[in-house]
Every structure is written in structure tokens, then in C-alpha cells.
Amino acid sequence: MRIAITREVSPSLGDCQLTHVERTAIDIARADMQHRNYQRVLATLGCKVLALEAEPAMPDAVFVEDVAVVLDEVAVMTRPGAESRRAEGAGVAELLARYRPIRALQAPATLDGGDVLRVGRTLFVGQSGRSNAEGVAQLQDAIAEFGYRVQPVPIRGCLHLKSAVTAPRDDTLLIQPRWVDAASFPGFAIIEVDPGEEHAANVLRLGEVVVMPVCFPRTAQRLRDAGIEVVAVDVSELQKAEGATTCCSIVFDAPDA
Ligand code: CIR
């Protein structure tokens, strides 16, 4: 069974953290509707979607990806780089504890799950404003016994590593070359986003399908041309909060109940 942990949109989403995106008004009802559609799409693609209640006092809590790194053997609770986001993990940890042993990063480590791209037994970790060297070191320590390799990757001009690169297939990366160098990923086939679709590199892979925002049709076509099936979702209001498709779920496999 494939689980997707999500959390409902906070009514205070308009007060979210923003780093590289200019603040514009967010229509909360619309964000909520788009998020419910995203949850439906994940369910259609075979996920059992678990939805935590909204956290009115935590504007960014819908972006559950940032608070945990879930591997087959263990879940590592992160310590998000934005102070305002540090309390978001508690509810997610409670839920994850049903499925995985839990470990947790400690101060002074900071790490956002959006900076962690797992491909096979390698975890690429973005050197972003949110994730520091101590975060990378503690993540490495937490999972070393399971045989994973942690590989720091320099990024520039974007929030997280997965703003700049995701893996639509195990051997193929979709990248925004302005924000990360393809040379950091030797041995992978590289698909670049369409130059006019700046934020298009963040796609959520579910088996053989990727879920990506509907507003990037030319990048979607590049993926389809490479034989990758694409499902498009409208997440325009969450994009105003500097989120996209990977950030709104934590997806992992669990034994059937
Ligand atoms: C933040 O700045 O933390 C949120 N407004 C957006 C987080 C998006 N997270 C992600 O892409 N993993």
C-alpha cells in the first residue's frame, strides 16, 4: 500500500514564508479546493491519502514534505530552517510513528525535506538557506546504518533543491539549469525545463506517473516526449506560497493493513 500524508490548508496560508516569490493575495477557498483535488489525484493514482487537520496558527503547515524524510527503514523528523515552521512536525511524527521508527534532527541542525531528493540509495541534499551543514551531517548519521549515501548539492536562486531538480524516473532528472548544475548529477539522463517555465522542475513521481502543475505545458510535453506519463493539477494558489507538487505530501510504502 502506498501512503500519502497530507495536511489541510491553513486559513492563515496568506502569512506564509516567502523567499524568492513576491507576496500576492492568496484565495484560501480556492487553495483549499485545489488541494482537495490534489489529494483526489493522489488517491486516483493509488495512494491511501491521510489528511491531517489544518493548523490555523501554522501558515505553512500544508507543506508537509519539509518536516520529515521518510525512507523504507526509518523516518527522520527534520528541523525546518524557518523558525516559524518548527512546530509543524509534531502531528506528522505522531502519524508516521504508526509506520516507521522515528529519529529527529536536533539544534543547531536545520533541514527542510524539500531539500532532500532520494534516488535509489542516494539522498541528494540541497545546500539552501533552509538546510545547513549540521543538518546534512545529522541526516547522514541518522541513516548511515541503512546504507544510504548523502550527497550535498550546491543550489542558487531558489528555495529548495527540489525547486531545481526532481527525478521523474530513477535514471532521469528534470532540472532548472539556472538553479542547479547538471554536473552535480553524473550518470543521469537530464531533461531541462522549458526556459519560459521557471518553476517547472518540481514534479511528484508516483510509480510511473508524475504529477506537476498545469501551468507548465511545454515542460510537460518534454516529459511526455521522453515517454513519461504526466498528470497535471492546478495548484496556482499554493504556488503563490512558494509551494508546488512535491511539498504537499509525504509518500511512502507500507504493508497492507
Ligand atoms: C516556505 O517558504 O517554507 C513555504 N512558504 C513553502 C515551502 C514549500 N516547500 C517545498 O517545496 N518543499
Side-chain angles (χ1 to χ4, degrees):
M1 163 174 71
R2 179 164 289 156
I3 308 266
I5 294 180
T6 64
R7 191 199 294 280
E8 308 299 3
V9 173
S10 171
S12 63
L13 178 64
D15 299 324
C16 64
Q17 292 284 334
L18 286 178
T19 309
H20 298 279
V21 168
E22 210 174 305
R23 195 170 297 276
T24 53
I26 296 178
D27 180 335
I28 299 296
R30 190 146 184 256
D32 191 52
M33 195 182 70
Q34 291 175 345
H35 188 55
R36 285 178 200 284
N37 182 56
Y38 170 87
Q39 291 167 322
R40 260 195 304 276
V41 167
L42 266 53
T44 306
L45 294 173
C47 295
K48 175 175 178 182
V49 177
L50 306 179
L52 291 160
E53 282 183 19
E55 289 282 3
M58 300 179 198
D60 284 304
V62 66
F63 301 121
V64 286
E65 166 180 72
D66 291 318
V67 302
V69 175
V70 180
L71 305 174
D72 289 345
E73 302 83 355
V74 69
V76 181
M77 301 311 298
T78 67
R79 185 168 177 272
E83 220 272 319
S84 68
R85 302 199 56 192
R86 302 255 163 91
E88 292 175 21
V92 176
E94 215 174 291
L95 194 47
L96 277 172
R98 294 187 203 162
Y99 302 99
R100 297 286 192 274
I102 302 283
R103 296 191 182 164
L105 305 190
Q106 307 296 335
T110 66
L111 189 94
D112 280 12
D115 274 319
V116 181
L117 173 65
R118 187 187 67 78
V119 189
R121 306 302 281 184
T122 301
L123 272 63
F124 295 101
V125 183
Q127 295 171 307
S128 74
R130 296 286 176 87
S131 300
N132 64 17
E134 179 67 19
V136 174
Q138 287 193 22
L139 177 66
Q140 173 117 56
D141 284 353
I143 63 175
E145 71 185 270
F146 305 114
Y148 291 93
R149 187 173 74 95
V150 173
Q151 176 67 49
V153 178
I155 60 171
R156 55 190 173 265
C158 62
L159 183 60
H160 290 131
L161 177 67
K162 279 189 282 192
S163 319
V165 56
T166 53
R169 280 198 296 239
D170 279 348
D171 61 355
T172 305
L173 301 179
L174 175 65
I175 78 161
Q176 165 50 278
R178 292 217 293 272
W179 296 341
V180 71
D181 292 328
S184 297
F185 308 99
F188 287 91
I190 301 289
I191 301 173
E192 292 190 358
V193 299
D194 180 275
E197 297 179 343
E198 189 178 34
H199 291 271
N202 183 265
V203 302
L204 173 65
R205 178 182 174 186
L206 292 172
E208 297 307 304
V209 180
V210 303
V211 180
M212 70 181 290
V214 70
C215 57
F216 303 127
R218 293 194 295 272
T219 300
Q221 192 55 49
R222 289 183 181 207
L223 293 169
R224 291 190 179 108
D225 290 346
I228 295 163
E229 189 181 338
V230 176
V231 174
V233 290
D234 186 357
V235 288
S236 60
E237 298 307 302
L238 293 151
Q239 287 173 297
K240 293 179 188 172
E242 217 167 345
T245 51
T246 66
C247 55
C248 291
S249 56
I250 302 172
V251 178
F252 56 91
D253 292 327
D256 288 349

